[in-house]
C-alpha cells in the first residue's frame, strides 16, 4: 500500500513558501522606499557601490529568469505529490532529491532574504558573510542533485526517462544558474567591501576578483568534462550566466583602457570558447558514451533506498 512521507511533504512546502516570500521581497526591493519595507532599491545600492566588475542594470534581468526557473522546479516537485508508480508515490520512491537537498534549499533562500535587508541597509561586511554562506549552500544543493542521480539515474533512465530529463533540466541546470550567479555576486560583494571599506585600490582588487573567477572557470571546466562527467554531464547553463555577467560588466565600464577591463574581456572570450566546447563535448558524449546501458539496475528503488544514509533518503 502506497504511503506518504509527511516530513518530505513539509520540507517541500516549506521550501515553496520560503521561495515565494523571497520572490515577493525581491520584487518589492525594486521599489525601494515606496515598498514600505526597504529604504532604497537593490539597483540603487549596486549603482552607489559601483566596481569594475559590476554588471549593467540590463544584465540583472537574470534574477527574474532565475526565479521563473526555480518556480518551475517547485511545480515539478508538487506534481510528484500526485503521481504514483508501481512501488509508491513518485516523490518518495525513488526519492531522487533527499532530505538534505530540501533543507539546503530552505537555508539558502532564508539567507537570500537576510541579504536583501543587509544590502538595503548598506551593511557590507554582514552582507558579504551572508552571500558567502549562500554560495556554500548553493554548492550543497548541487551536491545533493548529483548524488541523487548517481544513485537513481540508471533506474530513472530505464523506467522514468522523462523524469530523468526534467531533473536534469529543471533541477540541475536551474540550480547551476542560481549557483553561478550567486558565486559571481559573492565576488562582487567582496569587491565592494574591499573597495569601499579598505585602502585597496579599485584596479588591484578588481584584478584579484577577476583572477579568482578565471581560476574557478578553468578548474570547473576540467572537473565537469574529465572527472565529474558521470554526475554533471548535462549541465550547460553555467557559461551563459558568466557570459551575460561580463557582457554587462564591460558595457557598464567607464574606463575601457584599464587592465581590469582587458582582463574581463579575456574572461568573456574564454567563457564563450568554453561554452562552445562544452556543448560540443556533451553532444559527442551523449551519442558515443551514454551514461547508462540498456540493462538498467538490478535493484528496485526501495532496495536502493535501504542502502542509503538517512540524509540521502
Amino acid at each position: 500500500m502506497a504511503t506518504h512521507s509527511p516530513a518530505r511533504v513539509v520540507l517541500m512546502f516549506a521550501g515553496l513558501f520560503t521561495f515565494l516570500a523571497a520572490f515577493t521581497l525581491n520584487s518589492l526591493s525594486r521599489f525601494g522606499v515606496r515598498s514600505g519595507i526597504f529604504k532604497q532599491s537593490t539597483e540603487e545600492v549596486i549603482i552607489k557601490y559601483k566596481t569594475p566588475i559590476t554588471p549593467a542594470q540590463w544584465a540583472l534581468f537574470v534574477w527574474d529568469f532565475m526565479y521563473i526557473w526555480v518556480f518551475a522546479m517547485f511545480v515539478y516537485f508538487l506534481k510528484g505529490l500526485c503521481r504514483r508508480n508501481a512501488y509508491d508515490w513518485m516523490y518518495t520512491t525513488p526519492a531522487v532529491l533527499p532530505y538534505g537537498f530540501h533543507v539546503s534549499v530552505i537555508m539558502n533562500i532564508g539567507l537570500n532574504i537576510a541579504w536583501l535587508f543587509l544590502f538595503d541597509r548598506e551593511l557590507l561586511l554582514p552582507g558579504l558573510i551572508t552571500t558567502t554562506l549562500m554560495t556554500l549552500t548553493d554548492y550543497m544543493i548541487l551536491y545533493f542533485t548529483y548524488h541523487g542521480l548517481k544513485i537513481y539515474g540508471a533506474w530513472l533512465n530505464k523506467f522514468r526517462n522523462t523524469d530523468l530529463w526534467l531533473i536534469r533540466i529543471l533541477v540541475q541546470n536551474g540550480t547551476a544558474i542560481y549557483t553561478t550567479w550567486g558565486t559571481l555576486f559573492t565576488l562582487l560583494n567582496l569587491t565592494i567591501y574591499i573597495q569601499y571599506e579598505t585602502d585597496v585600490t579599485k584596479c588591484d582588487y578588481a584584478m584579484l576578483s577577476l583572477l579568482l573567477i578565471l581560476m574557478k572557470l578553468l578548474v570547473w571546466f576540467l572537473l565537469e568534462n574529465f572527472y565529474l562527467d558521470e554526475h554533471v554531464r548535462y549541465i550547460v547553463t553555467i557559461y551563459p550566466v558568466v557570459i551575460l555577467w561580463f557582457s554587462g560588466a564591460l558595457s557598464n565600464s567607464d574606463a575601457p583602457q584599464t587592465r581590469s577591463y582587458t582582463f574581463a574581456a579575456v574572461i568573456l572570450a574564454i567563457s564563450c570558447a568554453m561554452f562552445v566546447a562544452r556543448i560540443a563535448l556533451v553532444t559527442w558524449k551523449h551519442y558515443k558514451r551514454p551514461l547508462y546501458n540498456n540493462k538498467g539496475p538490478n535493484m528496485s528503488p526501495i532496495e536502493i533506498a535501504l542502502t542509503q544514509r538517512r540524509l540521502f533518503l
Side-chain angles (χ1 to χ4, degrees), residues 1-103:
M1 181 177 178
T3 56
H4 283 288
S5 171
R8 200 177 300 277
V9 173
V10 168
L11 286 175
M12 284 185 183
F13 276 101
L16 174 62
F17 293 144
T18 308
F19 166 77
L20 292 175
F23 176 77
T24 301
L25 290 170
N26 271 276
S27 300
L28 288 173
S29 70
R30 299 179 182 181
F31 296 97
V33 68
R34 290 179 297 166
S35 68
I37 300 176
F38 298 97
K39 296 181 178 180
Q40 55 195 323
S41 70
T42 303
E43 288 77 8
E44 287 173 342
V45 183
I46 291 175
I47 293 172
K48 182 177 181 179
Y49 292 100
K50 185 178 179 181
T51 75
I53 65 170
T54 301
Q57 283 187 300
W58 61 261
L60 299 180
F61 83 90
V62 75
W63 266 331
D64 299 321
F65 182 72
M66 207 164 46
Y67 280 118
I68 292 171
W69 202 314
V70 174
F71 180 70
M73 179 183 75
F74 277 108
V75 170
Y76 171 68
F77 292 164
L78 296 180
K79 187 177 178 181
L81 297 176
C82 307
R83 297 169 58 212
R84 291 178 57 175
N85 56 34
Y87 301 98
D88 211 326
W89 296 100
M90 273 296 295
Y91 76 97
T92 61
T93 310
V96 180
L97 299 173
Y99 290 113
F101 171 88
H102 298 289
V103 172

Side-chain angles (χ1 to χ4, degrees), residues 242-254:
V242 178
I243 291 169
L244 176 65
W245 180 285
F246 279 99
S247 297
L250 292 176
S251 70
N252 197 38
S253 177
D254 298 325

Side-chain angles (χ1 to χ4, degrees), residues 196-264:
Y196 289 94
E197 297 292 333
T198 69
D199 295 327
V200 178
T201 64
K202 296 180 182 180
C203 184
D204 287 344
Y205 199 75
M207 289 293 290
L208 177 58
S209 296
L210 291 168
L211 181 60
L212 289 172
I213 293 171
L214 180 59
M215 290 174 60
K216 284 176 175 287
L217 279 174
L218 294 173
V219 170
W220 177 250
F221 185 81
L222 292 175
L223 288 175
E224 69 176 351
N225 289 297
F226 302 105
Y227 298 99
L228 300 176
D229 176 63
E230 177 186 355
H231 310 293
V232 302
R233 174 172 294 185
Y234 295 99
I235 294 179
V236 296
T237 51
I238 289 174
Y239 302 105
V241 174
V242 178
I243 291 169
L244 176 65
W245 180 285
F246 279 99
S247 297
L250 292 176
S251 70
N252 197 38
S253 177
D254 298 325
Q257 292 80 28
T258 61
R259 290 187 301 167
S260 58
Y261 182 93
T262 302
F263 200 0

Side-chain angles (χ1 to χ4, degrees), residues 103-112 134-135 137-138 141 178:
V103 172
S104 299
V105 168
I106 295 169
M107 291 170 55
N108 180 274
I109 300 175
L111 288 167
N112 187 331
M134 283 175 59
T135 303
T137 55
D138 284 336
I141 293 168
Y178 193 85

Side-chain angles (χ1 to χ4, degrees), residues 168 229-231 233-234 285-286 289-293:
R168 286 170 174 169
D229 176 63
E230 177 186 355
H231 310 293
R233 174 172 294 185
Y234 295 99
K285 289 178 179 179
H286 178 75
R289 295 181 180 178
L291 289 177
Y292 311 113
N293 56 42

